[in-house]
Amino acid sequence: MESDVVVVGSGVGGATVARELSIRGYKVTIIEKGGYHKLGTARRALNFYSGSLWNFCPGELSKEGTEVLRTIMVGGSSMVTLGNGVRAFQTGFKAMGIDLDKEFDEAEAELGVAPLPERLMGERTRRLREASEEVGYKVKPMPKFVDFDRCRSCGLCVLGCRYGAKWTSQKFLSEARRAGAKILTETSVDEVIHSGGEVKGLKVHKESSGASEINAGNVVLAAGGIGTPIILQKSGLENAGSNLFLDLFVNTYGILNDGHMEEEMGMATVIDELHESQGFILSPILDMFLDMFLYLPLLKKLRAFRRDRTLGLMTKIVDEDVGKVNPDGTLSKPVTESDRKKLSRGEEISKEILLQAGVNPKSLYTTKVRGAHPGGTAGIGRVVNTDQETEVDRLFVSDASIFPKPLGIPPVLTIVAVSKRFSKRLASEYLKVKKAAPETKPSIKR
Ligand SMILES: Cc1cc2nc3c(=O)[nH]c(=O)nc-3n(C[C@H](O)[C@H](O)[C@H](O)COP(=O)(O)OP(=O)(O)OC[C@H]3O[C@@H](n4cnc5c(N)ncnc54)[C@H](O)[C@@H]3O)c2cc1C
């Protein structure tokens, strides 16, 4: 094995870095813990969501009981998104000297971001939009990285799109592979090997063949907001793992007395006017049957069978970054007083909209608190510098971990933009120098 750069993780950050570097002629090897999976059913999804049915939910649980959703697979959590593609924290990054204007333009063009067209807005979305406007909120179509001609409105985005309608990291991985990148799947990175303040390689293991070591002169960690800080801490970088945020959310539901609504794409619209002032957004949502069935209390489980009459709104907040990822993978994520206030305010407005839309007042309920955007755990200014380099030379991070602050809105487009900028800087500032030096030849030692 010979590579200029070893990238750990094939999700949004990892696939972007691998693609950007390999199309510029650099040799890239991607090491991915998960494998390839068939998509589109709840049973299949249980194989790649990181939780276990023992928890009665598809996600992992923090010690306080907050559910964290992410996947372990080729393409990472990009495989299960709702295709929402929004710019986040652009001015914040600019104030830190990180100008992402060009990279956001590139990312939007390459992912094909466009507002969801009217023809794909289903009955739920339209009813909720009408009711929201009646009670005084401005509803916008959600920008999506979805090929609308391929979308069948099956409503199963979070189980992985079997029609290939959604942009996923696998698209960037294919381009990287066509440009020569290699991917090792089902190979977990345990630790970074470094000495004298310089990166030397990685300790990895594979179920089938056990532990091994890989030499590497440049390592980019992109194992996600939970995977990356575990590796960093096991490698002795103890400042990683704190400041975990999740963009916490709750869904508030109400059931109509009659009618039948077809499945449709979730989060088709957004109310974002309260994001700046009150720290949350609202968007139409309908959980999968299995999810609903698992989280509803015993006497209310029948509600999961009434999805065709259910209207729902998600409140997604800018939560406090007070969580912690521990080196053994356990998580702590308290829901703070400030988080609860934002969630309650969102729930209150959601109920007002749902009642306006005609749901039965007795049917209103709100789900437990969950989060699906883990980040902040190797933040710029805390664990990495503005070049995304850690205290170890040539050990970089490029995924949701590097966000200096919680976002409260979908992060994929911003991770792509940040990873593009990072890759360009890596190529121009670091790899050029390295190319002039004697070639490092990574090898696997058993
Ligand atoms: C249900 C759901 C819906 C979502 N919808 C949206 C949306 O519509 N829009 C949006 O912007 N965001 C959405 N998100 C969030 C988004 O998917 C994530 O924020 C994003 O994928 C994070 O990118 P990342 O590169 O940080 O990590 P990931 O994409 O999760 O990639 C991390 C990769 O590292 C691998 N890995 C982990 N540990 C190791 C290890 N030790 N060794 C090797 N490999 C490892 C994982 O298998 C994975 O492939 C959603 C998330 C979920 C769960």
Side-chain angles (χ1 to χ4, degrees), residues 340-353:
R340 286 208 187 280
K341 273 194 190 142
K342 291 177 188 172
L343 291 166
S344 305
R345 180 70 189 126
E347 181 185 348
E348 214 175 282
I349 299 173
S350 300
K351 284 183 176 166
E352 190 187 358
I353 296 171

Side-chain angles (χ1 to χ4, degrees), residues 8-13 31-34 49 69-73 76-78 80-84 145 158 187-189 222-225 227 231 372-373 399-400 410-412 415:
V8 178
S10 68
V12 179
I31 305 181
E32 167 55 51
K33 182 173 180 174
Y49 271 92
L69 295 158
R70 65 174 180 135
T71 68
I72 299 293
M73 66 193 300
S77 296
S78 77
V80 297
T81 71
L82 287 138
N84 306 321
F145 40 81
V158 300
T187 307
S188 185
V189 171
I231 300 169
H373 303 165
D399 59 19
V412 163
I415 301 170

Side-chain angles (χ1 to χ4, degrees), residues 61-68 244 246 322-324 326 330-336 340 369:
L61 291 179
S62 75
K63 78 173 170 35
E64 298 82 4
T66 311
E67 185 181 353
V68 186
L244 172 69
L246 296 174
V322 295
K324 172 96 176 78
N326 299 308
T330 54
L331 308 173
S332 160
K333 183 64 177 104
V335 181
T336 65
R340 286 208 187 280
V369 184

Side-chain angles (χ1 to χ4, degrees), residues 8 189-194 199 201-203 219-242 324-329 375-380 382-385 388-403:
V8 178
V189 171
D190 298 322
E191 217 180 295
V192 179
I193 307 165
H194 55 96
V199 78
L202 295 164
K203 288 188 182 175
V219 170
V220 181
L221 295 182
I226 292 177
T228 289
I230 296 175
I231 300 169
L232 286 171
Q233 289 176 90
K234 283 185 177 165
S235 314
L237 282 81
E238 281 155 20
N239 53 351
S242 62
K324 172 96 176 78
V325 178
N326 299 308
D328 63 0
T377 44
I380 295 178
R382 291 191 293 267
V383 179
V384 295
N385 61 20
Q388 295 174 221
E389 192 174 25
T390 64
E391 66 192 48
V392 175
D393 284 355
R394 291 168 186 275
L395 173 61
F396 305 91
V397 178
S398 199
D399 59 19
S401 318
I402 62 107
F403 287 128

